[in-house]
Amino acid sequence: MMNTTPSKVAERNKLFDKAATVTLWGIGFLIIVILGWFLYKILGPGLKHLTPSFIFGKPSEVRAGGGVGPMLFNSFYILFLSMAVSLPIGFGAGIYLAIYAKNNRFTNLIRISVEALSSVPSIVFGLFGYLVFVNWMGMKFSIIAGSLSLALLNLPVLVRNTEEALRAVPDSYWEASLALGSTRWQAIRKVMLPAALPALITGITLVSGRALGESAILIYTSGVSVSRHFPDFSLSAMGETLSVHLWYVQASSLVPDAKQIAQGSGALLVLVVLLFNLLIAVPSRMLSKKFNGGK
């Protein structure tokens, strides 16, 4: 059997390294091309319709020229209400599972349940919200019913993301904080959470973007109509969002410019999601550098 010399081994390893580098760069470039093509197909036809009267105007049911102002407002209103409900519960449950919970059958059951819920189709949450919030609790089609249903969709992802983010923090951080005399809560609040902030912000960004583009849940809970008043902060008002409006004008709208409204709504939705993610990502990086000593 022929022995392989060290020089040949090194040469072969360099060849494999170059091949892997080229492959990964190619995959990354392909993903960018696909994303660019999607943005071109969505933004190309829709950007020309994004006028101030379209973005901030009221919709029209039968005449051309209606806007999407109330739908855009409802999208953010429902998003913030749902996050106000899901963030405290999701962070609290994630902290409990990562720090306080013991490794037993009960916590394993919780983790399995969270993972199972995170893979449930959104329309199932919509039907659940329709049965529980709309019918059983008598909320009818309203902003509060849609917000609570959307919060249920966000919870499994937030719980799992929070637990994994805290577990990724080195144990030395936790041990050093306790060694200096801090309590568990002080160590969590002043050491663990700041260290895990980038991963936590990533989870918040993912669920926020998903919530802004969600339609299946809100069709069954917040309805396909808007209030006559704009802006309307009433929790009992119907709350058609931009994504639901995009589906509605394509499916059953009577306006003659339904195609143009759909193109503009799609482009606006993409821009809103991109801008919202950017507004979250930039401050999160600044806070992360602050908490990590400017690194």
Side-chain angles (χ1 to χ4, degrees):
M1 186 174 180
M2 185 179 298
N3 293 327
T4 305
T5 61
S7 60
K8 290 184 177 180
V9 172
E11 185 178 351
R12 185 176 60 184
N13 291 338
K14 288 182 180 180
L15 183 62
F16 286 157
D17 180 69
K18 289 182 179 179
T21 301
V22 171
T23 302
L24 292 175
W25 272 102
I27 293 174
F29 180 75
L30 179 62
I31 292 174
I32 293 175
V33 170
I34 293 174
L35 288 176
W37 182 78
F38 274 120
L39 290 176
Y40 171 75
K41 296 296 289 185
I42 296 174
L43 297 180
L47 284 177
K48 59 186 177 182
H49 304 298
L50 298 184
T51 61
S53 60
F54 177 80
I55 297 174
F56 303 106
K58 291 185 178 182
S60 174
E61 288 294 332
V62 292
R63 289 183 295 181
V68 294
M71 294 78 172
L72 183 61
F73 169 78
N74 288 337
S75 297
F76 282 102
Y77 191 32
I78 291 177
L79 170 65
F80 288 126
L81 289 176
S82 65
M83 297 301 286
V85 175
S86 60
L87 279 179
I89 300 175
F91 280 178
I95 292 172
Y96 168 76
L97 290 173
I99 306 296
Y100 292 97
K102 297 180 180 179
N103 191 13
N104 51 37
R105 291 182 178 179
F106 176 69
T107 54
N108 289 336
L109 178 62
I110 293 177
R111 291 189 178 96
I112 292 173
S113 301
V114 169
E115 291 177 358
L117 285 174
S118 62
S119 61
V120 172
S122 59
I123 193 170
V124 176
F125 284 99
L127 293 173
F128 177 83
Y130 175 77
L131 292 173
V132 175
F133 301 125
V134 176
N135 285 337
W136 184 56
M137 299 184 68
M139 295 181 180
K140 301 180 180 180
F141 291 106
S142 60
I143 287 175
I144 185 61
S147 301
L148 293 175
S149 302
L150 205 55
L152 294 178
L153 178 71
N154 295 337
L155 267 178
V157 179
L158 288 173
V159 172
R160 196 62 180 160
N161 177 76
T162 303
E163 182 185 4
E164 293 299 327
L166 291 174
R167 289 187 180 277
V169 178
D171 294 337
S172 57
Y173 285 35
W174 176 257
E175 294 168 356
S177 180
L178 295 181
L180 292 173
S182 66
T183 62
R184 276 191 172 188
W185 175 239
Q186 287 175 331
I188 293 170
R189 182 168 57 89
K190 295 184 178 181
V191 177
M192 301 295 287
L193 288 178
L197 185 62
L200 296 176
I201 295 296
T202 299
I204 294 174
T205 305
L206 289 174
V207 298
S208 299
R210 183 183 182 187
L212 278 173
E214 185 56 50
S215 58
I217 289 179
L218 300 177
I219 290 172
Y220 290 101
T221 53
S222 60
V224 292
S225 182
V226 293
S227 172
R228 291 177 296 176
H229 307 287
F230 172 58
D232 192 348
F233 291 92
S234 174
L235 298 179
S236 60
M238 294 186 71
E240 182 186 22
T241 61
L242 192 59
S243 58
V244 174
H245 187 64
L246 175 59
W247 165 83
Y248 174 73
V249 295
Q250 285 285 76
S252 56
S253 178
L254 299 177
V255 291
D257 58 342
K259 183 178 180 180
Q260 290 76 14
I261 293 175
Q263 291 174 344
S265 299
L268 180 60
L269 186 59
V270 170
L271 292 177
V272 164
V273 171
L274 291 176
L275 181 61
F276 190 79
N277 290 346
L278 184 63
L279 291 176
I280 293 179
V282 172
S284 70
R285 288 183 178 274
M286 296 174 61
L287 287 174
S288 178
K289 289 183 178 180
K290 178 182 178 181
F291 287 129
N292 289 282
K295 296 181 180 180

